[in-house]
Amino acid sequence: MSNISTELIHHAYQPPDGFEAIPAAVHKASTVIFPTVAALRQRDWKHKTGYTYGLHGTPTTFTLEARIATLEGGTYCTLAPSGLAAVALVDMALLKAGDEVLIPDNAYGPNKTFAQHELAAWGIRFQYYDAMAPADLAAKLGARTRLVWLEAPGSITLEFPDLPALVAVIKAHPHAHPDGIVTALDNTWGAGIAFNAFALGADISVQALTKYPSGGADVLMGSVVTRSEALHRWVHMCHMRIGYGVGANDAELVLRGLSSMALRYAAQDSAARTLALWLAQQPQIEAVLHPALAGSPGHAVWQRDCSAAACLLSIVFKPVYPQAQVDGFCDKLQLFKLGYSWAGPMSLCAPYDVPAIRSTPWVYKGALVRFSIGLEAVADLQADLAQALALMQYS
Ligand SMILES: *Cc1c(COP(=O)(O)O)cnc(C)c1O
Protein backbone atom coordinates (compact mmCIF):
# COMPACT_ATOMS: atom_id res chain seq x y z
CA MET A 1 0.00 0.00 0.00
CA SER A 2 1.40 3.39 -0.86
CA ASN A 3 -1.42 5.82 -0.25
CA ILE A 4 -1.73 7.07 3.31
CA SER A 5 -5.55 7.28 3.18
CA THR A 6 -5.69 3.54 2.36
CA GLU A 7 -3.01 2.65 4.87
CA LEU A 8 -4.74 4.45 7.73
CA ILE A 9 -8.01 2.60 7.08
CA HIS A 10 -6.49 -0.85 6.46
CA HIS A 11 -3.95 -0.56 9.27
CA ALA A 12 -3.26 -3.73 11.21
CA TYR A 13 -5.73 -4.33 14.02
CA GLN A 14 -6.72 -7.70 15.48
CA PRO A 15 -10.33 -7.64 16.68
CA PRO A 16 -11.57 -10.21 19.21
CA ASP A 17 -12.52 -13.58 17.64
CA GLY A 18 -15.89 -13.48 15.90
CA PHE A 19 -16.23 -9.68 16.23
CA GLU A 20 -14.84 -8.26 13.03
CA ALA A 21 -15.87 -4.62 13.55
CA ILE A 22 -14.08 -1.82 11.70
CA PRO A 23 -13.17 0.47 14.63
CA ALA A 24 -10.54 -0.55 17.17
CA ALA A 25 -11.96 -1.35 20.60
CA VAL A 26 -11.77 1.17 23.45
CA HIS A 27 -9.92 -0.41 26.36
CA LYS A 28 -9.95 1.41 29.69
CA ALA A 29 -7.88 0.56 32.72
CA SER A 30 -5.74 1.83 35.49
CA THR A 31 -5.00 -1.67 36.85
CA VAL A 32 -3.92 -4.53 34.61
CA ILE A 33 -4.10 -7.86 36.46
CA PHE A 34 -1.16 -10.28 36.37
CA PRO A 35 -1.75 -14.02 36.75
CA THR A 36 1.31 -14.62 38.97
CA VAL A 37 4.07 -12.73 40.78
CA ALA A 38 6.51 -14.10 38.23
CA ALA A 39 4.43 -12.62 35.41
CA LEU A 40 4.26 -9.29 37.26
CA ARG A 41 8.05 -9.22 37.60
CA GLN A 42 8.66 -10.24 34.00
CA ARG A 43 6.24 -7.92 32.24
CA ASP A 44 8.39 -5.64 30.08
CA TRP A 45 7.02 -2.11 30.26
CA LYS A 46 10.06 -0.51 28.66
CA HIS A 47 9.57 -2.10 25.25
CA LYS A 48 5.76 -2.10 25.04
CA THR A 49 5.68 -5.87 24.64
CA GLY A 50 3.19 -6.18 27.47
CA TYR A 51 0.69 -4.17 29.49
CA THR A 52 1.51 -3.18 33.06
CA TYR A 53 -0.61 -0.20 34.03
CA GLY A 54 -3.13 1.98 32.17
CA LEU A 55 -0.89 5.05 32.40
CA HIS A 56 1.76 3.26 30.35
CA GLY A 57 -0.50 2.11 27.54
CA THR A 58 -3.54 0.04 26.59
CA PRO A 59 -4.38 -1.85 23.37
CA THR A 60 -6.23 1.32 22.26
CA THR A 61 -3.31 3.70 22.78
CA PHE A 62 -0.82 1.22 21.30
CA THR A 63 -3.03 0.99 18.17
CA LEU A 64 -3.17 4.77 17.89
CA GLU A 65 0.60 5.06 18.39
CA ALA A 66 1.20 2.53 15.60
CA ARG A 67 -1.09 4.44 13.22
CA ILE A 68 0.48 7.82 13.94
CA ALA A 69 3.94 6.31 13.34
CA THR A 70 2.64 5.01 9.99
CA LEU A 71 1.13 8.39 9.12
CA GLU A 72 4.45 10.14 9.72
CA GLY A 73 6.61 7.51 8.02
CA GLY A 74 8.31 6.89 11.38
CA THR A 75 8.84 3.81 13.52
CA TYR A 76 8.09 4.70 17.16
CA CYS A 77 5.38 6.91 18.62
CA THR A 78 4.62 8.22 22.09
CA LEU A 79 1.31 9.96 22.84
CA ALA A 80 1.03 13.00 25.09
CA PRO A 81 -2.06 14.73 26.53
CA SER A 82 -1.79 17.75 24.15
CA GLY A 83 0.39 19.06 21.34
CA LEU A 84 2.09 21.40 23.77
CA ALA A 85 2.70 18.50 26.18
CA ALA A 86 4.42 16.65 23.30
CA VAL A 87 6.71 19.67 22.70
CA ALA A 88 7.52 19.91 26.42
CA LEU A 89 8.11 16.14 26.58
CA VAL A 90 10.82 16.35 23.90
CA ASP A 91 12.48 19.21 25.80
CA MET A 92 12.34 17.37 29.12
CA ALA A 93 13.54 14.07 27.63
CA LEU A 94 16.61 15.53 25.92
CA LEU A 95 17.79 18.62 27.80
CA LYS A 96 19.69 18.91 31.05
CA ALA A 97 21.23 21.82 32.97
CA GLY A 98 23.98 23.49 30.92
CA ASP A 99 22.51 22.38 27.57
CA GLU A 100 21.14 24.79 25.01
CA VAL A 101 18.07 24.58 22.78
CA LEU A 102 17.56 26.66 19.62
CA ILE A 103 13.99 27.57 18.64
CA PRO A 104 12.79 29.33 15.48
CA ASP A 105 11.72 32.87 16.25
CA ASN A 106 8.47 32.18 14.35
CA ALA A 107 7.74 28.95 16.28
CA TYR A 108 4.43 28.09 17.92
CA GLY A 109 4.42 30.63 20.78
CA PRO A 110 4.08 28.30 23.78
CA ASN A 111 7.20 26.37 22.65
CA LYS A 112 9.15 29.61 23.29
CA THR A 113 7.28 30.37 26.51
CA PHE A 114 8.15 26.93 27.97
CA ALA A 115 11.83 27.67 27.27
CA GLN A 116 11.61 31.15 28.83
CA HIS A 117 10.10 29.85 32.05
CA GLU A 118 10.62 26.15 32.88
CA LEU A 119 13.76 25.44 30.82
CA ALA A 120 15.47 28.65 31.99
CA ALA A 121 14.60 27.82 35.61
CA TRP A 122 16.19 24.38 35.16
CA GLY A 123 19.46 25.89 33.92
CA ILE A 124 18.86 25.16 30.23
CA ARG A 125 19.77 27.98 27.86
CA PHE A 126 17.74 28.90 24.81
CA GLN A 127 18.13 31.16 21.79
CA TYR A 128 15.78 32.03 18.97
CA TYR A 129 17.00 31.86 15.38
CA ASP A 130 15.64 33.11 12.07
CA ALA A 131 14.39 29.95 10.34
CA MET A 132 14.50 31.71 6.95
CA ALA A 133 18.27 32.34 7.33
CA PRO A 134 20.36 29.13 7.68
CA ALA A 135 23.41 31.39 8.32
CA ASP A 136 21.69 32.74 11.45
CA LEU A 137 21.23 29.18 12.73
CA ALA A 138 24.89 28.43 11.89
CA ALA A 139 25.98 31.47 13.93
CA LYS A 140 23.90 30.42 16.95
CA LEU A 141 24.89 26.74 17.16
CA GLY A 142 27.28 26.29 20.07
CA ALA A 143 29.24 23.63 21.94
CA ARG A 144 26.30 23.06 24.32
CA THR A 145 23.56 22.96 21.67
CA ARG A 146 21.69 19.70 22.22
CA LEU A 147 18.34 20.31 20.54
CA VAL A 148 17.22 22.39 17.55
CA TRP A 149 13.50 22.90 17.00
CA LEU A 150 12.22 23.25 13.43
CA GLU A 151 8.75 24.27 12.34
CA ALA A 152 7.32 24.43 8.82
CA PRO A 153 5.80 26.84 8.08
CA GLY A 154 6.27 29.41 10.84
CA SER A 155 3.33 29.86 13.19
CA ILE A 156 0.97 32.77 12.29
CA THR A 157 3.23 34.26 9.56
CA LEU A 158 3.55 31.01 7.57
CA GLU A 159 7.04 31.48 6.10
CA PHE A 160 8.19 28.12 4.70
CA PRO A 161 11.81 27.37 5.77
CA ASP A 162 14.37 25.33 3.84
CA LEU A 163 14.43 22.34 6.22
CA PRO A 164 17.16 20.38 4.36
CA ALA A 165 19.37 23.50 4.40
CA LEU A 166 18.82 23.99 8.15
CA VAL A 167 19.56 20.31 8.80
CA ALA A 168 22.72 20.54 6.64
CA VAL A 169 23.95 23.48 8.78
CA ILE A 170 23.44 21.39 11.94
CA LYS A 171 25.23 18.35 10.43
CA ALA A 172 28.19 20.56 9.42
CA HIS A 173 28.52 22.08 12.92
CA PRO A 174 32.02 21.22 14.26
CA HIS A 175 31.66 21.69 18.04
CA ALA A 176 28.85 19.24 18.67
CA HIS A 177 27.45 18.44 22.13
CA PRO A 178 28.97 15.18 23.49
CA ASP A 179 25.56 13.51 23.05
CA GLY A 180 25.08 15.02 19.57
CA ILE A 181 22.51 17.50 18.30
CA VAL A 182 18.93 16.35 17.81
CA THR A 183 16.48 18.06 15.44
CA ALA A 184 12.80 18.07 16.40
CA LEU A 185 10.18 19.30 13.95
CA ASP A 186 6.78 20.60 15.00
CA ASN A 187 4.94 18.89 12.13
CA THR A 188 1.39 19.86 13.03
CA TRP A 189 0.94 21.75 9.73
CA GLY A 190 2.35 19.03 7.45
CA ALA A 191 0.63 16.40 9.60
CA GLY A 192 2.36 13.52 7.76
CA ILE A 193 0.42 14.47 4.60
CA ALA A 194 2.21 17.47 3.03
CA PHE A 195 5.75 16.06 3.36
CA ASN A 196 7.74 13.36 5.15
CA ALA A 197 9.53 14.91 8.14
CA PHE A 198 12.21 12.23 8.26
CA ALA A 199 13.00 12.41 4.54
CA LEU A 200 13.68 16.13 5.03
CA GLY A 201 16.10 15.37 7.88
CA ALA A 202 14.18 15.65 11.16
CA ASP A 203 15.15 13.20 13.93
CA ILE A 204 11.87 13.68 15.80
CA SER A 205 8.47 14.76 14.50
CA VAL A 206 5.92 16.22 16.92
CA GLN A 207 2.27 16.80 16.10
CA ALA A 208 -0.69 18.34 17.82
CA LEU A 209 -3.16 15.52 17.08
CA THR A 210 -5.67 18.11 18.31
CA LYS A 211 -5.60 19.54 14.78
CA TYR A 212 -5.86 17.32 11.66
CA PRO A 213 -5.78 13.76 13.07
CA SER A 214 -8.70 14.58 15.36
CA GLY A 215 -10.38 16.95 12.92
CA GLY A 216 -13.34 17.36 15.25
CA ALA A 217 -12.31 20.28 17.49
CA ASP A 218 -13.28 18.01 20.38
CA VAL A 219 -10.05 16.51 21.74
CA LEU A 220 -6.54 17.52 22.80
CA MET A 221 -3.61 15.20 22.17
CA GLY A 222 -0.02 15.19 20.90
CA SER A 223 2.48 12.73 19.50
CA VAL A 224 6.25 12.30 19.34
CA VAL A 225 7.44 10.10 16.47
CA THR A 226 10.97 9.01 15.60
CA ARG A 227 12.79 6.41 13.52
CA SER A 228 15.57 6.10 16.10
CA GLU A 229 15.17 3.49 18.79
CA ALA A 230 17.65 5.32 21.02
CA LEU A 231 15.74 8.62 20.77
CA HIS A 232 12.46 6.85 21.30
CA ARG A 233 13.84 5.29 24.48
CA TRP A 234 14.79 8.73 25.88
CA VAL A 235 11.32 10.08 25.13
CA HIS A 236 9.47 6.98 26.29
CA MET A 237 11.30 6.72 29.64
CA CYS A 238 10.76 10.41 30.40
CA HIS A 239 7.09 10.01 29.42
CA MET A 240 6.72 7.23 31.98
CA ARG A 241 8.47 9.18 34.73
CA ILE A 242 6.29 12.28 34.33
CA GLY A 243 3.00 10.39 33.97
CA TYR A 244 1.79 11.81 30.66
CA GLY A 245 -1.04 9.33 30.02
CA VAL A 246 -3.90 9.84 27.55
CA GLY A 247 -7.49 8.71 28.08
CA ALA A 248 -9.02 5.86 26.06
CA ASN A 249 -12.03 7.93 24.94
CA ASP A 250 -9.72 10.62 23.63
CA ALA A 251 -7.61 8.01 21.81
CA GLU A 252 -10.83 6.67 20.27
CA LEU A 253 -11.74 10.12 18.93
CA VAL A 254 -8.36 10.48 17.22
CA LEU A 255 -8.57 6.93 15.78
CA ARG A 256 -11.96 7.84 14.37
CA GLY A 257 -10.65 11.05 12.85
CA LEU A 258 -7.64 9.40 11.20
CA SER A 259 -9.69 7.51 8.61
CA SER A 260 -11.02 10.73 7.05
CA MET A 261 -7.89 12.78 7.61
CA ALA A 262 -6.38 12.66 4.11
CA LEU A 263 -9.73 13.65 2.56
CA ARG A 264 -10.21 16.51 5.01
CA TYR A 265 -6.66 17.71 4.46
CA ALA A 266 -7.20 17.83 0.69
CA ALA A 267 -10.59 19.56 0.93
CA GLN A 268 -9.38 22.20 3.38
CA ASP A 269 -6.20 22.72 1.32
CA SER A 270 -8.25 23.38 -1.80
CA ALA A 271 -10.66 25.76 -0.02
CA ALA A 272 -7.80 27.68 1.61
CA ARG A 273 -6.05 28.17 -1.75
CA THR A 274 -9.27 29.38 -3.40
CA LEU A 275 -9.81 31.93 -0.63
CA ALA A 276 -6.12 32.94 -0.55
CA LEU A 277 -6.23 33.80 -4.28
CA TRP A 278 -9.47 35.73 -3.87
CA LEU A 279 -8.25 37.62 -0.80
CA ALA A 280 -5.05 38.62 -2.63
CA GLN A 281 -7.23 40.61 -5.06
CA GLN A 282 -9.13 42.58 -2.42
CA PRO A 283 -8.17 46.28 -2.17
CA GLN A 284 -8.13 46.38 1.66
CA ILE A 285 -5.41 43.72 1.84
CA GLU A 286 -1.67 44.34 1.63
CA ALA A 287 -0.51 40.71 1.65
CA VAL A 288 -1.83 37.16 1.86
CA LEU A 289 0.52 34.72 3.58
CA HIS A 290 0.11 31.12 2.42
CA PRO A 291 3.08 28.95 1.34
CA ALA A 292 1.34 27.75 -1.86
CA LEU A 293 0.80 31.34 -3.02
CA ALA A 294 3.49 32.73 -5.35
CA GLY A 295 5.24 35.57 -3.54
CA SER A 296 4.59 34.21 -0.04
CA PRO A 297 7.88 33.77 1.88
CA GLY A 298 9.42 30.35 1.19
CA HIS A 299 7.01 29.56 -1.67
CA ALA A 300 9.74 28.03 -3.87
CA VAL A 301 10.91 25.77 -1.03
CA TRP A 302 7.33 24.72 -0.31
CA GLN A 303 6.95 23.87 -4.00
CA ARG A 304 10.14 21.78 -3.93
CA ASP A 305 9.43 19.89 -0.69
CA CYS A 306 5.64 19.61 -0.32
CA SER A 307 2.76 17.92 -2.10
CA ALA A 308 0.00 19.80 -0.24
CA ALA A 309 -0.71 22.73 2.07
CA ALA A 310 -2.79 22.98 5.23
CA CYS A 311 -5.89 25.07 5.92
CA LEU A 312 -4.11 28.10 7.41
CA LEU A 313 -3.70 31.51 5.82
CA SER A 314 -2.98 34.94 7.21
CA ILE A 315 -3.82 38.33 5.77
CA VAL A 316 -2.11 41.63 6.45
CA PHE A 317 -4.33 44.68 6.06
CA LYS A 318 -3.09 47.90 4.50
CA PRO A 319 -1.64 50.11 7.25
CA VAL A 320 -4.39 52.68 6.69
CA TYR A 321 -6.71 50.44 8.73
CA PRO A 322 -6.19 50.87 12.47
CA GLN A 323 -6.34 47.80 14.70
CA ALA A 324 -9.82 48.76 15.94
CA GLN A 325 -11.16 48.59 12.39
CA VAL A 326 -9.51 45.21 11.79
CA ASP A 327 -10.99 43.96 15.07
CA GLY A 328 -14.35 45.20 13.75
CA PHE A 329 -13.82 43.17 10.55
CA CYS A 330 -13.28 40.03 12.65
CA ASP A 331 -16.34 40.79 14.77
CA LYS A 332 -18.50 41.17 11.64
CA LEU A 333 -17.63 37.75 10.26
CA GLN A 334 -20.46 35.33 10.84
CA LEU A 335 -19.27 31.91 9.63
CA PHE A 336 -15.68 32.48 10.76
CA LYS A 337 -15.74 32.20 14.54
CA LEU A 338 -13.20 33.87 16.82
CA GLY A 339 -11.03 31.29 18.49
CA TYR A 340 -7.72 29.45 18.75
CA SER A 341 -6.73 26.14 17.23
CA TRP A 342 -7.34 25.02 13.64
CA ALA A 343 -8.08 22.13 11.23
CA GLY A 344 -11.53 21.53 12.68
CA PRO A 345 -14.83 21.56 10.76
CA MET A 346 -15.64 25.20 11.53
CA SER A 347 -13.68 28.10 10.04
CA LEU A 348 -11.91 30.29 12.60
CA CYS A 349 -10.08 33.61 12.72
CA ALA A 350 -7.96 35.51 15.23
CA PRO A 351 -5.97 38.76 15.09
CA TYR A 352 -2.28 38.58 16.10
CA ASP A 353 0.16 41.30 17.10
CA VAL A 354 3.23 39.95 15.27
CA PRO A 355 5.89 42.41 16.59
CA ALA A 356 4.89 41.46 20.15
CA ILE A 357 5.67 37.76 19.54
CA ARG A 358 8.84 38.11 17.38
CA SER A 359 12.36 39.33 17.94
CA THR A 360 13.29 39.24 14.22
CA PRO A 361 12.13 42.26 12.16
CA TRP A 362 8.65 42.15 10.68
CA VAL A 363 8.19 43.91 7.34
CA TYR A 364 4.52 44.81 7.50
CA LYS A 365 2.95 47.77 9.31
CA GLY A 366 -0.68 46.67 8.99
CA ALA A 367 -2.68 44.39 11.29
CA LEU A 368 -2.61 40.60 10.73
CA VAL A 369 -5.52 38.17 10.95
CA ARG A 370 -5.04 34.40 10.74
CA PHE A 371 -7.73 32.12 9.34
CA SER A 372 -8.26 28.40 9.66
CA ILE A 373 -10.44 27.24 6.78
CA GLY A 374 -12.95 24.59 7.82
CA LEU A 375 -15.23 22.27 5.89
CA GLU A 376 -18.01 24.73 5.00
CA ALA A 377 -18.83 25.46 1.33
CA VAL A 378 -16.10 27.77 0.04
CA ALA A 379 -18.64 30.08 -1.68
CA ASP A 380 -20.30 30.74 1.69
CA LEU A 381 -16.95 31.49 3.31
CA GLN A 382 -16.03 33.88 0.50
CA ALA A 383 -19.39 35.67 0.80
CA ASP A 384 -18.83 36.04 4.55
CA LEU A 385 -15.37 37.57 4.01
CA ALA A 386 -16.79 39.85 1.29
CA GLN A 387 -19.54 41.27 3.51
CA ALA A 388 -17.13 41.98 6.36
CA LEU A 389 -14.55 43.56 4.02
CA ALA A 390 -17.23 45.73 2.39
CA LEU A 391 -17.94 47.32 5.76
CA MET A 392 -14.34 48.53 6.11
CA GLN A 393 -13.86 52.20 5.24
CA TYR A 394 -10.81 54.37 5.09
CA SER A 395 -10.62 56.41 8.27
C1 LIG B 1 -1.97 23.78 18.30
C2 LIG B 1 -0.51 23.62 18.10
C3 LIG B 1 0.29 23.05 19.08
C4 LIG B 1 -0.24 22.66 20.45
O1 LIG B 1 -1.29 21.76 20.42
P1 LIG B 1 -2.32 21.66 21.66
O2 LIG B 1 -2.90 20.30 21.50
O3 LIG B 1 -3.31 22.77 21.46
O4 LIG B 1 -1.52 21.80 22.91
C5 LIG B 1 1.63 22.90 18.82
N1 LIG B 1 2.17 23.29 17.64
C6 LIG B 1 1.43 23.84 16.68
C7 LIG B 1 2.08 24.25 15.40
C8 LIG B 1 0.06 24.03 16.86
O5 LIG B 1 -0.66 24.61 15.91
Side-chain angles (χ1 to χ4, degrees):
M1 279 181 289
S2 60
N3 200 312
I4 197 69
S5 51
T6 309
E7 264 187 88
L8 287 174
I9 290 165
H10 288 264
H11 201 263
Y13 165 67
Q14 189 60 54
D17 272 354
F19 191 75
E20 295 277 336
I22 290 164
V26 180
H27 294 278
K28 299 184 189 182
S30 50
T31 303
V32 176
I33 293 169
F34 302 94
T36 61
V37 172
L40 180 148
R41 292 205 175 112
Q42 278 161 21
R43 199 65 62 89
D44 181 0
W45 50 278
K46 290 183 190 167
H47 296 86
K48 295 195 198 176
T49 53
Y51 303 101
T52 49
Y53 188 54
L55 184 61
H56 305 318
T58 64
T60 310
T61 60
F62 282 7
T63 300
L64 179 55
E65 285 175 340
R67 287 188 191 179
I68 299 295
T70 299
L71 170 67
E72 296 249 29
T75 313
Y76 307 96
C77 173
T78 304
L79 299 174
S82 69
L84 179 54
V87 168
L89 171 62
V90 170
D91 284 339
M92 290 188 284
L94 293 175
L95 298 167
K96 55 183 189 300
D99 287 350
E100 185 171 62
V101 56
L102 301 182
I103 305 172
D105 191 40
N106 59 1
Y108 174 68
N111 184 337
K112 293 164 74 176
T113 315
F114 185 72
Q116 281 161 21
H117 292 264
E118 278 68 25
L119 296 185
W122 298 336
I124 296 156
R125 291 182 300 191
F126 64 91
Q127 287 189 75
Y128 305 139
Y129 70 94
D130 180 355
M132 299 304 282
D136 187 50
L137 175 61
K140 284 173 178 161
L141 285 163
R144 297 303 307 174
T145 309
R146 170 68 171 138
L147 176 64
V148 178
W149 278 101
L150 306 166
E151 193 168 326
S155 190
I156 316 299
T157 42
L158 304 171
E159 308 90 341
F160 208 92
D162 190 336
L163 295 175
L166 293 172
V167 170
V169 158
I170 296 163
K171 293 236 153 68
H173 178 59
H175 313 289
H177 187 286
D179 294 330
I181 303 181
V182 174
T183 55
L185 171 73
D186 184 328
N187 196 23
T188 305
W189 184 94
I193 302 270
F195 61 90
N196 182 310
F198 302 104
L200 294 187
D203 298 316
I204 291 176
S205 178
V206 166
Q207 259 198 71
L209 305 179
T210 309
K211 310 290 168 48
Y212 275 110
S214 142
D218 52 2
V219 63
L220 290 149
M221 203 178 292
S223 57
V224 180
V225 173
T226 174
R227 287 179 172 175
S228 150
E229 189 180 356
L231 279 178
H232 171 67
R233 195 56 44 78
W234 280 94
V235 170
H236 187 55
M237 297 305 286
C238 176
H239 180 268
M240 291 195 156
R241 290 188 295 263
I242 61 179
Y244 261 9
V246 302
N249 291 77
D250 288 348
E252 178 197 21
L253 286 174
V254 179
L255 281 166
R256 204 181 152 104
L258 277 182
S259 27
S260 62
M261 176 180 169
L263 276 178
R264 287 185 281 104
Y265 199 100
Q268 285 165 282
D269 177 353
S270 159
R273 286 195 219 195
T274 302
L275 293 173
L277 286 170
W278 180 81
L279 283 162
Q281 291 162 2
Q282 305 313 305
Q284 299 89 339
I285 292 167
E286 174 108 350
V288 178
L289 306 172
H290 182 297
L293 213 62
S296 201
H299 170 69
V301 171
W302 171 84
Q303 212 162 24
R304 184 193 69 195
D305 292 343
C306 295
S307 60
C311 62
L312 291 175
L313 64 96
S314 292
I315 59 174
V316 182
F317 280 93
K318 290 194 171 148
V320 67
Y321 297 104
Q323 185 67 51
Q325 223 177 339
V326 172
D327 291 356
F329 160 82
C330 295
D331 282 337
K332 277 170 200 128
L333 289 167
Q334 287 167 11
L335 294 178
F336 286 88
K337 301 298 180 190
L338 283 164
Y340 296 112
S341 198
W342 50 281
M346 190 178 280
S347 291
L348 300 173
C349 75
Y352 285 89
D353 180 5
V354 177
I357 52 178
R358 290 294 148 81
S359 31
T360 41
W362 173 240
V363 290
Y364 297 107
K365 302 263 178 293
L368 179 146
V369 176
R370 189 189 74 174
F371 298 97
S372 165
I373 309 304
L375 288 165
E376 303 95 333
V378 69
D380 293 339
L381 295 175
Q382 185 176 310
D384 192 26
L385 292 166
Q387 64 81 23
L389 282 173
L391 298 168
M392 292 187 88
Q393 286 158 7
Y394 285 91
S395 53

